[in-house]
Amino acid sequence: MSWRTDALRRTLPATALAMVLAAAMVLVALVPARAQPAGGEPVDVALVLAIDVSRSMSREELAIQRRGYAEAIASREVLRAIEHGPHGRIGLAIFEWAGDFHTREVLPWTIVESAADAQAIAALLLEEESSSQSRTSISGAILRSMALLEEVPFAAERMVIDISGDGPNNQGPPVTQLRDMAVDRGITINGLPLMTVDGFARYFAIPDLDEYYRRCVIGGPGAFVVPVHEWNEFPEAVRRKLVLEIGELAPFHDPWRQHHDGGVLPVVPAQFAAEEPYDCLVGEKMWRDRRDLFYDGGR
């Protein structure tokens, strides 16, 4: 590992280096990604929902997120996708994230195979409000998601991380480092970039957040992005995304395209062909240039 360590020291701050190396040491010690826990109940997918609660979101927007996820999980479309799977059940875990110092468990690993299961989760999501926290560490959210997938108590056919967020990574290790670690473990990362720009969000927003997610965040087999431009699109976007993830459908097999008009939200698959370079450190640079505007740690 020495040459990798030296390379990282030249490119990362000490705190970021420590986190990346700690993550690498944990991952190296794990069993191969496709090996499943002995005796675990079989599920079609082990799905982690990582929900952004960074300070750029208002209380109302946080509530919209909670309602959107609750409605989607209990929706007819998502339940149908679960029922049509080979095992007819999925494993689901949910947590909220902001900076790499803040993750909050909302739902521990839970089997979802019936309407009653889904409605119980929806009720849990609606029981309390989300609380916003400072900074935006997508890399920290991926690291926490990988730890959850390491501990999944089910025999999962697939492992998927579903990340929502309204800005680029601005704290913790570079997001591409953690994305590549997850993909190397056989994990797929999909993205729900929230491209709403209002209130505090405008200070750290980027106009091409969907492209940032596509180029810097998502990865793995069948990875895709569903961008949200207006908050009224959020519930449908979450339903659509969950159906694709649970059903292991490629974006071009999206059932929404068969039932909706031309105004349907786009699904953007990951691209693997060579492309022009993209700055995946744009969030870190924006934070460096603008952090003095805020006294409390900002977003």
Side-chain angles (χ1 to χ4, degrees):
M1 182 182 285
S2 60
W3 69 270
R4 297 177 186 272
T5 303
D6 290 341
L8 286 171
R9 284 200 180 105
R10 290 194 298 270
T11 58
L12 296 177
T15 54
L17 173 63
M19 189 173 179
V20 170
L21 294 181
M25 291 173 66
V26 170
L27 293 173
V28 167
L30 300 181
V31 295
R34 292 300 181 185
Q36 304 300 335
E41 188 171 4
V43 295
D44 295 314
V45 61
L47 175 61
V48 177
L49 301 183
I51 302 173
D52 180 11
V53 294
S54 56
R55 192 158 292 170
S56 52
M57 291 190 189
S58 68
R59 183 175 180 180
E60 179 184 3
E61 291 167 343
L62 292 173
I64 291 171
Q65 276 199 135
R66 283 262 181 167
R67 291 196 301 270
Y69 278 103
E71 292 171 8
I73 291 168
S75 69
R76 181 178 65 252
E77 294 89 349
V78 169
L79 288 170
R80 187 180 299 124
I82 294 171
E83 292 168 358
H84 288 174
H87 300 296
R89 69 179 71 87
I90 68 169
L92 182 66
I94 306 174
F95 72 93
E96 296 176 333
W97 61 275
D100 67 358
F101 46 81
H102 176 80
T103 61
R104 178 175 178 270
E105 180 183 274
V106 176
L107 179 76
W109 281 115
T110 302
I111 289 282
V112 187
E113 60 181 339
S114 68
D117 296 333
Q119 289 163 4
I121 295 170
L124 177 67
L125 284 166
L126 297 175
E127 277 181 3
E128 57 185 20
E129 296 182 351
S130 299
S131 176
S132 65
Q133 299 290 328
S134 62
R135 306 299 294 271
T136 298
S137 182
I138 301 173
S139 55
I142 295 175
L143 185 60
R144 175 58 181 153
S145 298
M146 285 194 289
L148 283 169
L149 288 167
E150 175 196 352
E151 301 165 357
V152 63
F154 316 123
E157 298 289 339
R158 294 177 289 118
M159 297 181 291
V160 176
I161 300 171
D162 180 327
I163 295 185
S164 70
D166 72 343
N169 194 75
N170 67 29
Q171 192 257 344
V175 67
T176 52
Q177 298 274 354
L178 275 298
R179 176 202 62 192
D180 293 347
M181 285 185 183
V183 171
D184 286 346
R185 302 298 303 166
I187 298 168
T188 293
I189 303 174
N190 297 321
L192 189 73
L194 309 175
M195 302 177 68
T196 57
V197 181
D198 48 24
F200 195 60
R202 68 183 184 274
Y203 292 106
F204 291 97
I206 57 174
D208 61 342
L209 185 63
D210 51 349
E211 184 70 359
Y212 173 88
Y213 262 70
R214 187 177 73 86
R215 301 282 289 271
C216 309
V217 178
I218 69 171
F224 63 91
V225 166
V226 179
V228 175
H229 295 86
E230 303 290 342
W231 278 108
N232 60 10
E233 300 172 349
F234 186 82
E236 178 181 335
V238 176
R239 284 196 302 273
R240 190 177 184 203
K241 194 158 180 284
L242 291 178
V243 167
L244 292 173
E245 290 167 333
I246 293 166
E248 197 178 7
L249 299 173
F252 47 81
H253 290 145
D254 183 354
W256 253 254
R257 293 193 180 278
Q258 301 173 16
H259 302 294
H260 290 66
D261 60 25
V264 66
L265 295 169
V267 175
V268 184
Q271 300 295 317
F272 298 100
E275 298 180 280
E276 291 296 318
Y278 186 91
D279 185 5
C280 289
L281 294 175
V282 59
E284 287 85 346
K285 293 174 181 177
M286 289 175 65
W287 173 259
R288 179 194 63 201
D289 295 340
R290 302 178 187 182
R291 61 187 175 186
D292 291 340
L293 294 173
F294 309 99
Y295 296 103
D296 63 350
R299 197 167 167 258

